[in-house]
Amino acid sequence: MNTPDRIALGINIGNTNCDVALVNCADFSVVDKRRIGTARGADEIFSLVNELVCGQDKNLPIRISSVMAGFAAELSASICNAGFEDVMIINGMMPDFKTDYRTPETLGADRIADAVYAKKRFAEKSVIVIDAGTAVTVDLVWQDGIFGGGYIMPGLSLLSSALSKGTSQLPFVNNGLKEDLPPLSTKDAISAGVSAMYVGGINRAVANLRAVCPDAIVLATGGGFFAVEDVLEFDFLFDENLTVIGAAWS
């Protein structure tokens, strides 16, 4: 996107939720937004798109960030069939997206959208972006806008699920970030262990990226971030709409 003074539609399809938002690219604000569970399917997401684009010009830029390629293709086809002419599925092979990643074709669209937000919002700074959802990504965007790679980790629920599925007696425990010391039951021990891994992983990832880029600021987004915001070892800026805004800007 070359001109910032316009409205665009961003669609961010995650593993759990899908956000659809009209974005004012001039000031990074969300004009209107809808959220739906991804499991509801492409048809219902398309219905939300129709609500938001009602009355908009058919040249409205529409950008789709999706962790599910087939899902994105189905939705894109429906939007194009409705007459919209500027529809794009975000991917690591886009000509304007610069990266040091060795396999850009495998790069998640959500990580790309996060990087675009960082580049556009903080054009003269290096940025570390944390996106804490079903999975957690911690990525570096260099001052010149080049995506510098980063970390992918399981979220809280996935960590607990792995323990439950990979063992014969440990239960699934999903009560958020909890660490009663000392842990005096199996469920408390799982909660404490999962919490330590989750918080420790994010802190370690940020520390390692700051070791190679000490001046980087930290941005954060994602529903899973609320569980750890008070126990992290660094300052950060939070924007719940970071990914969908970055998608609209792409």
Side-chain angles (χ1 to χ4, degrees):
M1 181 181 296
N2 297 318
T3 56
D5 54 340
R6 62 171 174 171
I7 300 295
L9 186 78
I11 303 171
N12 176 38
I13 302 170
N15 290 293
T16 304
N17 292 310
C18 172
D19 288 335
V20 182
L22 277 174
V23 174
N24 184 336
C25 294
D27 62 5
F28 297 87
S29 65
V30 170
V31 178
D32 200 357
K33 175 184 169 183
R34 304 285 190 276
R35 169 168 283 192
I36 190 173
T38 300
R40 299 282 289 276
D43 288 342
E44 291 205 35
I45 294 174
F46 179 61
S47 295
L48 292 188
V49 172
N50 271 331
E51 289 180 21
L52 289 179
V53 301
C54 182
Q56 295 287 335
D57 189 274
K58 293 299 184 180
N59 290 319
L60 174 76
I62 299 176
R63 302 292 182 260
I64 302 172
S65 165
S66 176
V67 298
M68 292 173 269
F71 201 117
E74 181 181 351
L75 181 60
S76 175
S78 297
I79 296 171
C80 290
N81 288 338
F84 287 90
E85 301 172 357
D86 188 3
V87 183
M88 183 179 72
I89 298 173
I90 296 168
N91 64 85
M93 304 304 291
M94 298 184 302
D96 292 339
F97 181 69
K98 307 302 181 184
T99 177
D100 292 331
Y101 219 59
R102 293 177 185 148
T103 55
E105 70 280 2
T106 69
L107 189 57
D110 51 346
R111 299 173 74 190
I112 296 170
D114 290 345
V116 170
Y117 178 101
K119 175 183 176 181
K120 297 294 185 180
R121 190 72 185 267
F122 299 94
E124 299 180 357
K125 296 181 181 293
S126 294
V127 180
I128 295 168
V129 187
I130 303 168
D131 193 336
T134 305
V136 180
T137 57
V138 185
D139 290 320
L140 175 64
V141 182
W142 293 102
Q143 184 176 353
D144 57 7
I146 294 176
F147 178 82
Y151 293 75
I152 303 174
M153 299 175 282
L156 276 171
S157 182
L158 284 178
L159 283 169
S160 186
S161 177
L163 274 177
S164 177
K165 291 179 179 179
T167 61
S168 60
Q169 296 188 30
L170 295 180
F172 174 70
V173 179
N174 188 25
N175 55 4
L177 196 69
K178 184 179 180 183
E179 192 169 6
D180 294 331
L181 297 177
L184 296 176
S185 72
T186 297
K187 286 187 176 181
D188 286 347
I190 292 171
S191 292
V194 166
S195 297
M197 291 188 69
Y198 189 68
V199 175
I202 294 174
N203 279 329
R204 178 66 179 270
V206 170
N208 286 350
L209 292 178
R210 274 195 161 158
V212 297
C213 189
D215 297 330
I217 64 172
V218 180
L219 304 181
T221 194
F225 196 78
F226 296 111
V228 295
E229 59 182 339
D230 294 329
V231 292
L232 295 175
E233 299 171 352
F234 48 85
D235 295 328
F236 58 87
L237 301 173
F238 182 84
D239 187 341
E240 66 175 339
N241 296 313
L242 189 155
T243 308
V244 76
I245 293 173
W249 251 110
S250 296

